[in-house]
Amino acid sequence: QVQLVESGGGPVQAGDSLRLSCAVSGLTFSNYHMAWFRQAPGKEREFVAASKRPGSSEYYTDSVKGRFTISRDNAKKMVYLQMNSLKPEDTAVYYCASSAAALSAIRQSEMYPYWGQGTQVTVSS
């Protein structure tokens, strides 16, 4: 049984930092791309960042480039999202996801079969 469990969210002030963590079990971690998506109230789920299997490249949506960093620990089956200089528009539920699909689909949520339950990040101004 595949499980992804996020942690690390919470309320913060603009300019603060948070590190999200995602613990993965039930799959061969190094064979999967790992990604973070987010969904704000009333909006569609959007791609935030991804780490290519087994971890040699990272991809980001433009709005978080230079502020967020995705990393993975294949030995521990963990993926992280370091979020710096947080802005109110970063407020959302953040989801960890895993996919073994082609690299060309790494930003497409529909290509990720496995998802965590989400962790809320709230950034106040």
Side-chain angles (χ1 to χ4, degrees), residues 60-77:
Y60 299 94
T61 192
D62 286 347
S63 63
V64 308
K65 283 181 182 177
R67 299 190 299 123
F68 290 12
T69 302
I70 187 171
S71 61
R72 61 193 289 165
D73 186 327
N74 288 332
K76 295 182 178 179
K77 295 187 176 182

Side-chain angles (χ1 to χ4, degrees), residues 76-89:
K76 295 182 178 179
K77 295 187 176 182
M78 295 288 295
V79 61
Y80 306 98
L81 186 68
Q82 177 67 44
M83 305 186 295
N84 299 329
S85 302
L86 281 161
K87 303 176 181 180
E89 51 264 43

